[in-house]
Amino acid sequence: MAMEYSALYRQSIDDPRSYWLEQSKRIHWFTPFDEVLQDTDPRSPQWFAGGTTNICYNAVDRHAMGSSPFQPAIIWESAETNQRHVYTYTDLYVHVNRVASALRRQGIGKGDRVVIYMPMVPEALFAMLACARLGAVHSVVFGGFSAESLAQRIDDSNAKLVICADGGLRKGKLVRLKRIVDRAMELLHVASPRVLVFDRGIAGWSAVEGRDLSWAAQMAESDDETVDPVPVASGDPSYILYTSGTTGRPKGVVRDTGGYMVMLAATMEQIYGAGPGDVFWAASDIGWVVGHSYIVYAPLLVGATTVLYEGTPDYPTADIWWRLIEREKVNVMFTAPTAMRLLAKHPVEMVRSHDLSSLRHLFLAGEPLDETTYEWARETLQKPVIDHYWQTESGAPMLTNFMGTVATQPFKPGSPTFPAMGWDLDVVGAQGEVVAPGVKGILRARLPLPPGSLTTIWGDHARFVSAYFKQDEKGRWYYDCGDFAEKDADGYFWVLGRSDEVINVAGHRLGTREIEEVLAEHPNVAEAAVIGVADELKGQAIVAFVVPRKGVADTTQLESELQGRIRESIGAIATPRQLSVVRSLPKTRSGKVLRRVLKALSEGRATGDLSTIEDPSTVENIRDILAERRSFADGPRSANVHPAGRTHLREPIDTN
Ligand code: AMP
């Protein structure tokens, strides 16, 4: 029988030491910890201090050497190359040791940083686990990021090695990853690391003498070698994962080792209801936090089989996912609402024609789950659909319902239900005071944050402290989640969207500031503002407004240059859906850009109070430009080409 939620939850908050002591038994410790929790500074709790362990040992050796050596650990399916391969825990053990031995030969050891820039191939997982085996810190960079973004991350982490593949594929389109690495190397401010290239044979590349290493040659040299897993302290970093914040510079979220493992193992059983032998499919990417936690580490830690899928939900056919669930007998699935919105556009027969009886439930996270999508998924699949909320920073769910050993709570569509174990969440007002049920405020967590939460920002602890922590009216520190939320009278939470300058496009977090900075760097741009607007499919879409410098005549050219710059500097995921060249931005008298006005105009809503605005004619200018775009996009010509509102720019532009 499932455990009651409230009693267990209360224990996790009121007596965290006893609660987490029990949970810590889920993993193997090389040396036991002295204390469950040290929280002299509640912002920097030490979970399981004094204990040593190793993630790779727990995720691989325990099963390969234990009771399940021949159980599949990874099922790899590529819809892009039409390949499938199953790796047992023993296979995984052999591969990971081989890679670890090759990395060790390159001088990689405890604490060294390794950047992994790879598509969804098993070798990426081998590389991550090999780093963990050596106590090295990996930083996986999403394969959709550009050379500049990659260079920024190599610089920031001062990586000793970059591991990449020759290329990746997205809907049949080739992404030449090695070439992007070559470009990134030219942009570095740190010494150029070595590059280990896994050649899939899909993209030609040339080796740089003395820098590049061939994966095949390195593995041949390591062949049957094994490497002992290096014991690391519970608090030692397991990885860095960069995410967007409110400034232009991405934050290197650092995760510890022991706490993370304990949290992942506990959530697999309590929340996802997945254990040894279950087939778990998190349809995300290893470049995101969901990939780190629930494609790689959590399923392997508990001895489940993880599905590693290279592809998109609807390519080459719109039933590719449902076919995969049927073929691989997936028990638990996890993806983002965007994917469901996309699949909901296709006839339900696409789903119903497949035998989905193996599937027990579907978890969704990454962005707000609207009721229509929730209902579609529930009705079509005839399975429980669970909305849960978390962040790169948390590494695991913060708000959730339970499908495992903890009793399932009654569903309220649109709400990710209750706090997960160890998360003491509340909704607060501007002074940090808890607000009444039904009142909108900021979602915050009381300290200490539970095991597995971020421990710092790589190389910038001061930024960690200032970015995340605030004091309540009594001077106590708390963690600001950066989201607006509401708690109802029954204690259910409703997440309403970001409270900071971060937007969420198809479950991917992007800082408006990072995009604005790229735009503002163009010599013909005087000012830029970027906002997120509601989008039917992606949740939010990026809309950019740019004020050109005086004398710039060809705004169409400027627009296309700017779109190109964003693709190059950040990656295609940050390409604005709409980029408008406008005369000026709506501002307050003190010079603050009124984003809510831009947002209302872009969404075709009433702008509300304009009394604080410096120059009301700005609003009219933008409204006209957007209206013209809309009528143009609705017209017979391609929506991708537009008149750029040039007619509205006839008057002289006087910005600076
Ligand atoms: P990321 O760090 O990229 O995983 O993004 C985390 C952010 O995504 C959160 O702070 C929320 O703004 C949003 N988010 C994640 N899950 C949910 C959810 N279930 N409902 C609403 N927003 C969510």
Side-chain angles (χ1 to χ4, degrees):
M1 221 188 64
M3 279 175 286
E4 204 233 332
Y5 166 77
S6 329
L8 199 65
Y9 174 69
R10 279 314 335 156
Q11 188 203 349
S12 79
I13 302 302
D14 300 337
D15 191 3
R17 287 173 174 82
S18 77
Y19 177 82
W20 292 109
L21 175 65
E22 199 51 38
Q23 302 306 319
S24 72
K25 296 173 187 159
R26 297 174 184 276
I27 67 158
H28 177 81
W29 299 88
F30 292 147
T31 44
F33 44 84
D34 306 318
E35 252 185 289
V36 174
L37 168 65
Q38 271 177 11
D39 59 350
T40 340
D41 178 353
R43 293 168 297 183
S44 295
Q46 300 291 313
W47 288 101
F48 313 114
T52 64
T53 183
N54 182 286
I55 297 201
C56 182
Y57 176 85
N58 274 280
V60 182
D61 301 36
R62 261 199 315 167
H63 315 300
M65 304 298 171
S67 57
S68 49
F70 304 116
Q71 189 209 297
I74 302 172
I75 299 175
W76 177 54
E77 287 233 8
S78 173
E80 298 287 350
T81 58
N82 203 17
Q83 282 173 286
R84 176 182 185 271
H85 197 95
V86 179
Y87 297 85
T88 64
Y89 273 99
T90 305
D91 298 332
L92 183 60
Y93 177 85
V94 171
H95 282 285
V96 168
N97 273 282
R98 201 176 282 158
V99 181
S101 147
L103 298 189
R104 192 172 56 180
R105 225 179 16 255
Q106 293 308 317
I108 301 298
K110 195 169 168 177
D112 289 332
R113 274 82 58 208
V114 175
V115 163
I116 299 175
Y117 186 59
M118 293 182 94
M120 294 286 282
V121 291
E123 286 71 15
L125 271 59
F126 305 159
M128 291 168 78
L129 290 160
C131 288
R133 194 168 192 83
L134 296 168
V137 179
H138 60 66
S139 177
V140 180
V141 177
F142 174 58
F145 278 126
S146 67
E148 273 181 46
S149 296
L150 177 61
Q152 197 175 32
R153 286 154 175 79
I154 299 171
D155 268 342
D156 191 80
S157 61
N158 200 355
K160 215 168 169 177
L161 180 75
V162 174
I163 307 179
C164 72
D166 56 340
L169 290 157
R170 194 177 160 78
K171 295 199 173 193
K173 195 170 160 273
L174 183 62
V175 184
R176 295 178 179 276
L177 297 171
K178 168 63 166 66
R179 280 203 200 159
I180 299 175
V181 171
D182 289 341
R183 277 212 301 283
M185 290 296 166
E186 289 165 16
L187 305 171
L188 293 185
H189 296 100
V190 295
S192 169
R194 297 210 123 188
V195 181
L196 178 59
V197 189
F198 170 62
D199 193 346
R200 308 173 70 185
I202 59 170
W205 57 282
S206 46
V208 174
E209 207 37 63
R211 188 197 73 187
D212 294 354
L213 303 158
S214 142
W215 177 281
Q218 292 299 317
M219 295 315 137
E221 223 176 292
S222 302
D223 201 17
D224 285 335
E225 282 176 31
T226 54
V227 173
D228 287 339
V230 174
V232 299
S234 176
D236 279 346
S238 54
Y239 64 77
I240 307 170
L241 179 56
Y242 287 87
T243 190
S244 298
T246 51
T247 72
R249 208 159 43 95
K251 300 186 276 202
V253 164
V254 177
R255 190 89 60 216
D256 74 349
T257 301
Y260 184 46
M261 272 196 273
V262 171
M263 182 53 114
L264 291 184
T267 56
M268 279 302 268
E269 192 191 278
Q270 297 174 338
I271 298 177
Y272 298 101
D278 280 329
V279 180
F280 193 91
W281 181 21
S284 176
D285 190 282
I286 49 159
W288 311 122
V289 67
V290 175
H292 283 67
S293 292
Y294 294 103
I295 294 174
V296 187
Y297 291 117
L300 298 177
L301 282 172
V302 302
T305 301
T306 186
V307 175
L308 179 70
Y309 173 76
E310 181 183 41
T312 47
D314 57 350
Y315 177 86
T317 58
D319 68 343
I320 185 98
W321 277 21
W322 314 119
R323 255 197 277 165
L324 192 151
I325 293 174
E326 180 173 17
R327 185 169 53 241
E328 309 301 352
K329 301 195 170 42
V330 172
N331 301 121
V332 180
M333 186 176 184
F334 179 169
T335 192
T338 300
M340 287 300 133
R341 273 183 229 121
L342 190 75
L343 293 169
K345 289 181 176 290
H346 299 279
V348 288
E349 271 319 297
M350 286 280 187
V351 188
R352 299 244 168 94
S353 56
H354 296 280
D355 174 6
L356 304 182
S357 55
S358 63
L359 189 68
R360 299 199 286 263
H361 35 253
L362 168 71
F363 277 84
L364 298 173
E367 54 183 312
L369 173 61
D370 57 282
E371 239 181 285
T372 317
T373 308
Y374 169 80
E375 290 300 348
W376 177 85
R378 209 178 51 91
E379 290 278 307
T380 315
L381 298 173
Q382 294 288 310
K383 313 272 175 187
V385 173
I386 302 94
D387 176 16
H388 62 333
Y389 160 94
W390 50 298
Q391 316 178 309
T392 304
E393 287 82 352
S394 67
M398 298 160 74
L399 285 169
T400 190
N401 208 328
F402 295 81
M403 286 288 136
T405 49
V406 173
T408 305
Q409 304 302 301
F411 286 89
K412 285 200 188 187
S415 161
T417 320
F418 295 146
M421 300 298 155
W423 284 96
D424 192 357
L425 298 171
D426 251 314
V427 177
V428 297
Q431 309 309 320
E433 77 291 0
V434 175
V435 298
V439 176
K440 183 177 161 184
I442 303 287
L443 188 65
R444 75 100 192 258
R446 282 205 190 82
L447 304 183
L449 296 184
S453 310
L454 84 165
T455 52
T456 188
I457 290 177
W458 182 259
D460 200 348
H461 196 70
R463 186 175 174 204
F464 164 72
V465 172
S466 66
Y468 294 111
F469 300 99
K470 293 212 173 88
Q471 281 171 299
D472 66 12
E473 76 278 25
K474 291 196 177 121
R476 287 169 306 202
W477 291 103
Y478 66 86
Y479 171 83
D480 181 337
C481 304
D483 283 294
F484 286 123
E486 226 179 272
K487 185 174 162 179
D488 71 16
D490 300 326
Y492 283 71
F493 283 79
W494 304 76
V495 181
L496 309 167
R498 295 291 302 187
S499 59
D500 55 15
E501 286 161 15
V502 169
I503 52 182
N504 194 317
V505 180
H508 305 321
R509 197 163 128 178
L510 294 159
T512 51
R513 279 283 293 280
E514 49 186 321
I515 307 169
E516 281 168 6
E517 280 177 19
V518 173
L519 296 172
E521 273 165 19
H522 192 289
N524 288 346
V525 169
E527 269 190 299
V530 171
I531 53 163
V533 299
D535 182 275
E536 215 182 283
L537 194 63
K538 297 179 172 179
Q540 276 189 302
I542 302 165
V543 168
F545 295 90
V546 164
V547 180
R549 281 190 194 278
K550 214 169 169 176
V552 174
D554 192 349
T555 53
T556 313
Q557 167 77 12
L558 179 61
E559 280 189 27
S560 78
E561 279 178 25
L562 290 173
Q563 293 279 17
R565 273 191 175 223
I566 292 172
R567 262 195 306 278
E568 267 168 42
S569 301
I570 306 174
I573 45 167
T575 316
R577 182 178 73 185
Q578 196 175 63
L579 191 149
S580 305
V581 177
V582 297
R583 198 182 62 202
S584 53
L585 298 173
K587 286 187 182 168
T588 60
R589 283 182 190 89
S590 59
K592 202 167 184 303
V593 175
L594 284 160
R595 290 162 182 286
R596 66 171 172 83
V597 173
L598 289 173
K599 207 168 145 85
L601 288 168
S602 303
E603 292 178 346
R605 289 185 286 110
T607 46
D609 180 18
L610 292 178
S611 60
T612 52
I613 209 163
E614 168 84 8
D615 172 11
S617 76
T618 310
V619 174
E620 285 320 306
N621 171 253
I622 295 176
R623 205 194 302 275
D624 288 349
I625 290 174
L626 294 176
E628 188 171 326
R629 275 175 176 280
R630 249 174 240 130
S631 64
F632 193 82
D634 293 343
R637 283 172 286 172
S638 157
N640 295 329
V641 200
H642 45 71
R646 208 177 295 123
T647 49
H648 301 277
L649 287 163
R650 252 181 266 125
E651 40 202 303
I653 299 160
D654 193 8
T655 45
N656 50 329

